[in-house]
Amino acid sequence: MVKLTIDGKNVTVAAGATILEAAATVGIKIPTLCWLQKVSPTGACRVCAVEVEGVDRPMTACNTPVKEGINVTTQSEKLTEIRRKLLELLLVNHPLDCPVCDAGGECDLQDSCFGLGASRQEYSALLEKRPIRYDWKLLESDPNRCILCEKCVKVDHEIVGADAIEVVNRGEATIIDTHDGAPLNCEFCGNCIAACPTGTLISKPFKFRGRPWTFNITKSVCAFCSAGCQIEYHARDGRVERVTSEDDTYNSGNLCINGRFGYSAFNAPERLIIPTVNGAETDWESAVSTAANRLKGIVTAHGPDAAAAIASPRLTNEENFLFQKLMRVAIGTNNIDSEARFGYAPAQALLAKNIGLYGASNPIDRIDTAAAILVFGCDLNAESTAVEYRVIKAATKNDAKLVVANMRDVKLTKYNHGRLKYRPGSEALLVNGLIRAILDAGVEDREFIAKYVSNLDALKESLAGISLSQVAEATGVPEKDIIESARLIAGKSSLAIIFGADAMRSTVSADCIAALGNLALVTGCLGKEAGGLFPIDEKNNAQGMLDMGVAPDSLPGYHAGNAAAVFETAWGAKLPAAPGKDLWQIVEGIEQGSIKALYIAGSDPLAAFPNNRRIRKAFDKLEFLLVQDSFPTESAKMANVVFPASLAPEKSGTFTTLDHRVQCLGKAVNAPGLAREDWDIFAELYGKLAPASVITGPEQILTEIKALSNLYGGECSVVKGRCQGAGKRGFALKEGLSFVPVSAKSADGGDYQLLVGPILYHNGTISGWSANNLTVAPEGYIAIAADDAGRLGIAEGAAIRVTSSAGSMTGPARISKALQKGLLFAPHHFRGLNSNALLEGSANLVTVKVEKG
C-alpha cells in the first residue's frame, strides 16, 4: 500500500493506483475529459492537471501513478487557469455548432467549458473542413468536432475487440477513422458513441430526434440476450427513440447492436395492434370469448390432453408462471414446453441430475477474474456479446489463459492461448480427451475431488480405453494442442467453463454435456469465488422460463409430481398426474390427431424452430390454433385467433439472467393500439376458463412465485435506482457428487454438414422486425469454406443451394476462411432463408448436399 496526501487529506491506496483514483477514494473530484474508468488512461486532454509538491510542472492525474509520501494539490487558482486555457485551446479546432449538434445537452466538452468558465475564445486558427463520414451504417462521424480524446478507440480495442477505428494521420491532420479510410468493419454496438464526449460520433437513427431532456428516461433491462444488461429507454410520444446504458451498471455501460439499436423493432409498423378471429379484426371480449369457448369445446370432447402450449423466453417470469398455471389448472394438462427443448432444457436437466446445477454456478462478473477460461462450442460474439466482453477483459487485462474450442474460427480465437478447432460431432470425445490429458499430467484438483466427488477411479477406468492419439485423429485437433490446452485450464486457482449452442445442440449433446460436467469436477471450477460453469442461451429469459415450470415434467421451482399437493392446495385444483408431452411429442401428437388445440405465446415455430416444414404440415391438422404475439409471424398467419401482445418496454415484471440475477423491467411506453401485456391476456382467458380466479398484476403473481417455487430468498431491492427483483438463491455445492462415465464417439456427418446458428447482428427472429438491425444485416446467407467453394465453382455472392433430408434452401454464398473443409454455416434469424427448415430434430447440425443455385 502507498500513503500520500491530497488536498491535506491522508490517503492510502494500492501500489499502481493513479492520483485520480486515489483522490476519488476520499471524495475529491478532479475534472476530466478524456478519462474513462473502464479503459486505460490516455492523458490527452490534460484537464486533470494537478500539482505535486517538488515537481516543477503540473501532472496529469489520470495516468500518473501514486508514490509514497507525495503531496498533491488538486484545486488552486493556477490549476483553474491552466484547465480553462486547455479548454480554450481545444475550442480552437472545434466548431461552435452546439445548436445543431446532436450531443447538445449531454456534451462533456460543453459541461467542462461551463464548469471551468471557458466562456471566451481568445485564440483562432485557419481550419480545414474535414469530410463527415456519412457512409457508415448506424453511425455518423464528424471529425471536425473531435478533440482526440481517444476514448472511442480505447473502447473499440480494449472492450469490444473489434478494431474498427484507429487514430490515423499525424499532427494537425490527425483524426479518428478506419484504417486507410476503408469501409467501417464494425460490430455496430454503439459503445464508441456512448464514450464520445462530443458530437463527433452520433447515432444515425437518433439524429435530430430531439434534445435529451425532452425524453422520458426509464431504467430497465435489455430484452435480447440472456446476459441481462441494464439499460435506459428514452421515450417520447409512445415510442422508444433511443437506448443507452450508464457506466455504473452491471455491464459497465457496454451494449451490443441488439441492446443499443434493436429498439426499432418496438416501433415497427408491422406490429399487431388489434385482436383477430379467423383473420377478421374484432374486440378483446369477442376474441377471448371465442378462444375460451373453442378450448372448452375441445377439452370437453377429447379431454384436457388434447390441448397443448408453447411458451417463450421473451415472456417475463410472471407471464410464464401464469401461462403454465393456466394450462395445468384451467385446462388440466402438462402439455407445455418451449424452444429451450432444443438444447438449454436438456442440458440443464443433465447438469441438475449430475451436479445439482440449474444454470450458471456463479454470476457472470466472476468470469472477469478467472485465472483460466474455456469457451467450448459457443460463439459468444453471437450468443452473448456481454459475456464475450468479460472474456476479453479477463484475457487482456487480467492475464487469464483462454482456450477456445469450436468447429469454426470465432472472434475470440484471436485472443486464445490454446486453440481446439474440432470436427463437427466430436465434441464429447474432445472433452474426454482434455480430461484424459489432465489426469495423465496429474493436474486435476485433488483437494476438490477428495472433498466433493466419490468415484475418480470409475472415471479413469472409463477413459482407459482411449488414447490421446485416437482423440486427435477423430477430432482433427493435434495431440500436442490437446495436452497444451489441458495444461492451460487445469491446476489454476480458478477456471470458467463457458459452453453454448454448439455443445448443447450437438449431434452428441447428451454425452458432451455430461463430459463437460465431469471436466468441471476434475478441474474443481465449482464453488469458488472466481470462475464457474456457465451454460449460454441466446434468448433473454430462458433461465427464468424454466424456473417458472414451463416444462412438461416439472412445476415451478423444478418441483416434480411428488410436490403437486402443495400446488394443488394453493391453486385449489387437482393437477394432472402424468408428465406432459415435450415439444417434439406435441408435434407428434398433432400429427397423430391426439392434440387438437395449440396455444402459442411469444414464439414462432414456423420460422424459429428446426424442421419447421414438418411443423407447418402438422399445424394444418389442428382444429384450433391460438397465437399471442407482437408481430404477424408465420404462425400468426395460420392462427384462428390472434392476440396482439406487448413487448419488453411496454410491460412490467422480471427477467432472470443466465446467472440467476432477477431484474425488474421498467415500463417506458404503452403498447400500441389494443395490444396488451401478456400476463393481462392470460389473466382474462384464465378468468373465462376458471371463473373463480382473480389475477390483479405481476406483483400478485410474483408473490405466488415466491411462496411456491422455493427459488427466491429475498425481497425486491433498489440499487442505483434500479429494482433488482426478488433475490434468487444461488448454487450450493454439495458433497457426494459422482463422475458420469461417458464413452464418447465421434459422429460421422458425411461430406458436407450445415451448421445453423446465430450471428452478432441479430437476436432470434425479433430483430428481423428492427430496421436498424436490417440496415446492417438485411438478409441471410450461406457461408462456405474457400476450398469447398473453389471445388464446386461457387463465387462470392453467387446462389448456392443446400439440401437436407428435411428440406432445401437457396441463398447467396459467402466464402469464409473461418470454416473448415466440409462445413457450411447459415444464420437462423431470417424468415426468407429459413435455414432452420433443413434441421432434423433438435441438433443444429445436419448432413447436406451442396450445389450451385
Side-chain angles (χ1 to χ4, degrees):
M1 302 298 287
V2 177
K3 295 181 179 179
L4 66 156
T5 303
I6 303 179
D7 291 346
K9 294 184 178 181
N10 295 324
V11 184
T12 302
V13 293
T18 64
I19 293 174
L20 183 68
E21 292 167 339
T25 65
V26 290
I28 296 173
K29 185 175 181 180
I30 300 172
T32 63
L33 192 55
C34 73
W35 178 78
L36 189 63
Q37 185 174 10
K38 59 188 178 183
V39 297
S40 60
T42 303
C45 71
R46 326 297 289 178
V47 170
C48 65
V50 296
E51 294 177 298
V52 179
E53 190 176 277
V55 179
D56 60 1
R57 60 184 176 84
M59 305 294 291
T60 48
C62 72
N63 62 356
T64 301
V66 297
K67 289 186 177 181
E68 182 69 30
I70 63 173
N71 186 8
V72 179
T73 299
T74 71
Q75 301 295 335
S76 68
E77 289 187 11
K78 177 183 176 181
L79 287 172
T80 299
E81 184 62 18
I82 288 172
R83 291 165 182 163
R84 183 184 300 116
K85 291 297 182 183
L86 284 167
L87 287 174
E88 289 175 357
L89 288 170
L90 282 177
L91 293 175
V92 169
N93 295 305
H94 190 86
L96 300 181
D97 60 352
C98 300
V100 296
C101 177
D102 240 44
E106 54 184 8
C107 172
D108 292 346
L109 178 61
Q110 203 175 55
D111 293 343
S112 296
C113 288
F114 180 80
L116 293 169
S119 57
R120 296 175 295 125
Q121 179 55 284
E122 297 182 359
Y123 310 104
S124 62
L126 292 174
L127 300 180
E128 178 185 351
K129 179 71 174 177
R130 305 193 184 281
I132 299 173
R133 292 296 299 261
Y134 294 111
D135 58 315
W136 295 358
K137 298 172 182 177
L138 299 183
L139 287 78
E140 186 176 300
S141 175
D142 184 349
N144 302 288
R145 295 172 177 165
C146 182
I147 61 171
L148 296 175
C149 68
E150 297 185 33
K151 286 198 283 191
C152 60
V153 175
K154 298 260 183 172
V155 167
D156 175 45
H157 286 254
E158 296 180 15
I159 293 176
V160 180
D163 302 334
I165 53 177
E166 60 185 44
V167 180
V168 301
N169 304 330
R170 295 292 182 268
E172 65 178 14
T174 304
I175 61 171
I176 307 297
D177 204 348
T178 56
H179 185 68
D180 290 335
L184 187 64
N185 181 20
C186 182
E187 295 193 4
F188 302 100
C189 60
N191 291 321
C192 58
I193 296 173
C196 183
T198 67
T200 303
L201 293 170
I202 63 171
S203 162
K204 276 186 177 180
F206 186 66
K207 186 177 181 181
F208 300 148
R209 300 301 297 180
R211 291 302 187 193
W213 60 81
T214 65
F215 296 94
N216 295 316
I217 300 175
T218 304
K219 294 185 177 183
S220 192
V221 184
C222 182
F224 289 96
C225 93
S226 57
C229 293
Q230 296 173 332
I231 61 171
E232 301 87 46
Y233 289 121
H234 297 244
R236 187 176 63 190
D237 299 330
R239 288 172 55 93
V240 174
E241 297 288 6
R242 178 169 68 159
V243 172
T244 59
S245 183
E246 297 170 352
D247 280 355
D248 64 354
T249 56
Y250 190 82
N251 45 293
S252 302
N254 303 317
L255 297 175
C256 69
I257 180 176
N258 299 297
R260 195 175 303 277
F261 291 111
Y263 68 85
S264 61
F266 309 146
N267 305 321
E270 297 91 347
R271 285 286 302 271
L272 296 177
I273 59 173
I274 300 175
T276 61
V277 174
N278 296 324
E281 295 179 354
T282 187
D283 56 41
W284 273 107
E285 172 60 29
S286 175
V288 177
S289 294
T290 299
N293 291 334
R294 292 294 301 275
L295 288 170
K296 284 179 182 178
I298 289 171
V299 169
T300 299
H302 305 284
D305 286 337
I310 298 174
S312 170
R314 300 299 189 194
L315 303 179
T316 65
N317 291 324
E318 294 77 5
E319 290 164 345
N320 274 310
F321 178 89
L322 186 54
F323 194 13
Q324 62 82 33
K325 181 180 176 182
L326 183 154
M327 294 304 296
R328 289 184 163 114
V329 177
I331 293 178
T333 182
N334 281 321
N335 293 343
I336 183 168
D337 208 0
S338 72
E339 63 190 78
R341 181 60 47 198
F342 305 137
Y344 193 75
Q348 186 196 73
L350 272 171
L351 291 176
K353 178 183 177 182
N354 298 345
I355 301 177
L357 180 62
Y358 294 88
S361 66
N362 251 346
I364 57 174
D365 62 356
R366 309 299 170 84
I367 296 171
D368 303 12
T369 53
I373 300 172
L374 170 66
V375 181
F376 194 98
C378 183
D379 180 5
L380 278 176
N381 188 240
E383 294 178 56
S384 185
T385 313
V387 175
E388 181 180 67
Y389 293 161
R390 294 188 179 278
V391 173
I392 292 172
K393 177 181 178 180
T396 60
K397 292 182 178 291
N398 297 329
D399 298 323
K401 301 303 179 185
L402 174 62
V403 175
V404 177
N406 205 293
M407 64 185 90
R408 298 175 288 159
D409 290 329
V410 294
K411 177 185 162 188
L412 281 178
T413 304
K414 68 180 180 180
Y415 296 101
N416 67 5
H417 300 90
R419 180 187 180 198
L420 301 171
K421 191 172 184 179
Y422 59 80
R423 292 194 182 108
S426 67
E427 292 86 358
L429 186 58
L430 178 58
V431 180
N432 269 356
L434 287 171
I435 296 172
R436 174 67 190 265
I438 290 169
L439 294 174
D440 286 351
V443 289
E444 70 272 18
D445 191 329
R446 297 174 186 174
E447 182 179 348
F448 178 92
I449 294 170
K451 182 175 181 180
Y452 293 106
V453 194
S454 61
N455 63 337
L456 179 59
D457 289 340
L459 178 67
K460 289 181 177 179
E461 184 179 345
S462 72
L463 297 174
I466 64 168
S467 66
L468 291 182
S469 60
Q470 290 173 327
V471 174
E473 183 179 359
T475 63
V477 179
E479 183 177 349
K480 63 180 180 60
D481 290 350
I482 297 173
I483 295 172
E484 175 64 13
S485 294
R487 185 190 65 80
L488 288 168
I489 64 174
K492 300 295 187 294
S493 59
S494 57
L495 167 67
I497 299 176
I498 303 167
F499 62 94
D502 291 354
M504 291 186 279
R505 296 186 62 185
S506 162
T507 51
V508 291
S509 59
D511 285 343
C512 180
I513 301 307
L516 284 167
N518 289 339
L519 181 62
L521 297 179
V522 165
T523 55
C525 79
L526 302 172
K528 295 181 178 178
E529 186 65 23
L533 188 60
F534 302 90
I536 303 292
D537 189 85
E538 181 190 0
K539 302 290 180 65
N540 58 300
N541 199 35
Q543 181 64 48
M545 177 181 64
L546 295 177
D547 288 349
M548 294 302 104
V550 175
D553 54 356
S554 69
L555 293 163
Y558 305 99
H559 293 292
N562 55 7
V566 175
F567 289 85
E568 289 174 344
T569 300
W571 292 341
K574 185 70 176 175
L575 297 181
K581 290 180 168 62
D582 68 24
L583 195 141
W584 289 117
Q585 290 169 341
I586 289 172
V587 173
E588 290 171 3
I590 298 171
E591 291 171 332
Q592 295 166 3
S594 61
I595 292 179
K596 311 218 177 253
L598 182 64
Y599 188 176
I600 303 173
S603 187
D604 186 13
L606 300 187
F609 287 14
N611 206 351
N612 53 52
R613 291 192 176 101
R614 173 193 173 189
I615 298 174
R616 182 181 289 273
K617 290 178 181 178
F619 281 9
D620 283 332
K621 297 182 178 182
L622 285 167
E623 290 185 15
F624 180 64
L625 176 59
L626 170 58
V627 171
Q628 183 170 309
D629 210 298
S630 304
F631 299 100
T633 63
E634 296 302 307
S635 301
K637 293 173 185 176
M638 292 188 69
N640 303 99
V641 175
V642 176
F643 294 157
S646 61
L647 291 169
E650 304 154 3
K651 63 172 67 177
S652 303
T654 58
F655 288 148
T656 303
T657 61
L658 66 94
D659 56 344
H660 309 289
R661 287 174 291 117
V662 182
Q663 301 184 103
C664 297
L665 281 71
K667 186 174 181 178
V669 293
N670 291 322
L674 298 180
R676 290 160 61 178
E677 294 186 42
D678 291 271
W679 74 264
D680 193 28
I681 302 170
F682 292 141
E684 183 172 347
L685 181 59
Y686 197 126
K688 291 188 180 298
L689 294 170
S693 65
V694 178
I695 300 162
T696 59
E699 297 82 3
Q700 176 197 347
I701 302 170
L702 183 58
T703 299
E704 191 173 333
I705 293 170
K706 292 179 185 177
L708 294 175
S709 70
N710 199 35
L711 291 173
Y712 298 90
E715 300 298 322
C716 292
S717 59
V718 177
V719 179
K720 297 178 182 177
R722 297 177 187 274
C723 178
Q724 299 301 303
K728 189 179 174 189
R729 294 187 176 91
F731 169 62
L733 184 63
K734 297 180 180 179
E735 297 177 8
L737 300 176
S738 297
F739 291 109
V740 179
V742 176
S743 56
K745 296 181 180 179
S746 183
D748 183 15
D751 291 338
Y752 292 103
Q753 294 183 82
L754 171 70
L755 176 68
V756 176
I759 58 173
L760 166 69
Y761 303 119
H762 284 274
N763 182 268
T765 55
I766 188 174
S767 58
W769 305 100
S770 167
N772 293 341
N773 294 72
L774 291 172
T775 296
V776 175
E779 63 178 0
Y781 59 87
I782 302 169
I784 184 171
D787 289 346
D788 292 333
R791 185 167 54 256
L792 295 169
I794 295 172
E796 177 76 18
I800 179 173
R801 182 175 177 82
V802 179
T803 304
S804 74
S805 62
S808 65
M809 65 177 176
T810 301
R814 182 171 295 183
I815 299 175
S816 172
K817 295 179 180 179
L819 296 173
Q820 57 184 282
K821 178 184 176 182
L823 181 65
L824 294 90
F825 172 81
H828 65 208
H829 312 284
F830 301 96
R831 289 176 292 276
L833 186 66
N834 195 12
S835 58
N836 281 310
L838 276 70
L839 297 175
E840 304 162 353
S842 297
N844 64 353
L845 192 74
V846 64
T847 299
V848 294
K849 175 185 176 183
V850 183
E851 56 193 330
K852 290 184 178 180

